[in-house]
Amino acid sequence: MEQESRLSDRIADTILSMITVEKRFSPGSKLPNENELSEELKVSRTTLREAIRILVTGQILEIRRGRGTFVREDFRQGQPKELSSLAPAAVKIRDLYEMRLIFEPEAAYYAAIRATEEEIQRILALGEEIEERIGRNEDRTEVEQSFHKSIAKATHNEFMNQLMPVIYEGINKGVRLSKAHEEAVRATLVDHKILMDFLKERNGEGARNAMRIHILHAMAQLPME
């Protein structure tokens, strides 16, 4: 029972990250139905209900009878002023990718050695969805954000999560630029596959090097000015 309680705490944290960091749900937004969300998060509906109860108690979510679960209209995220002012900054893409190069290989290393099994499965599922979207020539920006955010979250280092709005800006610009560079898209598929294999194997050094190579590939293949 204690293990299930810890799992529901982690799932509550994941849902909170979807709201505050991934920006998938804003105040007043409705969450996916129970079946969809439990399948996405790879947990039982019982665990999901407990996680939602935790967030309802924390005044983050509310259950509207007959309508579903919603982010509270009055929910406001507290974000450090210094970081929030960086996210929309008009900076060169090279600066953003250099920031990613400093930050993300280490995040991949710590994720490989610290992630729970549920977190690894979520990263892998998101990586597979990116491949599917590329195959269907669909926009993958939101899924790319979730993929890299899930790696950062799996480090279990809260400050890494706070840096994600800055990292997102680099991811968004990279996805937009790669649409006109087929070589960069092919490299993304190969690089992600290698990275996911190392994460699955809990190989921290391998994951660190794979993430570093992934970012260097993008810097070499995309216009950085």
Side-chain angles (χ1 to χ4, degrees), residues 28-187:
S29 294
K30 182 180 179 181
L31 268 60
N33 67 44
E34 194 175 86
N35 287 340
E36 291 174 4
L37 199 52
S38 62
E39 184 177 340
E40 177 181 346
L41 297 173
K42 304 289 190 286
V43 295
S44 68
R45 285 182 293 173
T46 301
T47 299
L48 177 61
R49 287 185 200 124
E50 177 60 21
I52 287 173
R53 188 195 65 78
I54 291 167
L55 294 172
V56 168
T57 302
Q59 298 189 319
I60 294 158
L61 299 178
E62 63 179 346
I63 298 171
R64 300 178 188 173
R65 190 176 300 277
R67 296 183 59 195
T69 303
F70 292 76
V71 181
R72 286 176 61 107
E73 295 276 3
D74 59 358
F75 174 72
R76 295 290 178 270
Q77 177 190 3
Q79 186 184 61
K81 187 176 180 182
E82 294 82 0
L83 291 181
S84 61
S85 65
L86 280 173
V91 295
K92 291 180 181 178
I93 190 168
R94 180 174 296 280
D95 294 341
L96 291 165
Y97 266 79
E98 285 177 355
M99 179 66 182
R100 292 186 66 187
L101 193 59
I102 292 166
F103 168 77
E104 291 195 85
E106 296 307 311
Y109 171 83
Y110 285 111
I113 62 178
R114 292 177 179 172
T116 65
E117 189 56 35
E118 293 84 5
E119 287 168 336
I120 291 289
Q121 291 307 314
R122 175 164 167 75
I123 292 167
L124 298 179
L126 289 166
E128 289 171 5
E129 187 175 347
I130 290 169
E131 291 180 17
E132 291 170 6
R133 293 204 179 195
I134 288 174
R136 296 193 299 264
N137 199 28
E138 294 176 356
D139 181 69
R140 68 182 194 275
T141 306
E142 183 179 307
V143 189
E144 284 271 8
Q145 288 184 354
S146 296
F147 177 75
H148 288 272
K149 161 58 192 164
S150 293
I151 292 172
K153 183 176 180 298
T155 66
H156 296 263
N157 180 314
E158 186 52 38
F159 189 69
M160 286 191 178
N161 290 323
Q162 295 294 334
L163 281 173
M164 286 312 292
V166 182
I167 301 301
Y168 279 170
E169 188 68 17
I171 292 170
N172 294 349
K173 286 180 181 289
V175 170
R176 287 196 295 270
L177 286 171
S178 70
K179 289 176 181 176
H181 295 78
E182 189 176 336
E183 185 182 353
V185 175
R186 287 200 302 269

Side-chain angles (χ1 to χ4, degrees), residues 192-216:
H192 276 195
K193 178 70 167 60
I194 295 169
L195 173 60
M196 290 191 295
D197 285 344
F198 280 126
L199 289 169
K200 197 187 310 183
E201 294 167 7
R202 306 289 186 154
N203 184 328
E205 290 294 343
R208 173 193 278 150
N209 290 330
M211 182 67 86
R212 179 175 175 78
I213 289 167
H214 172 45
I215 296 169
L216 286 172

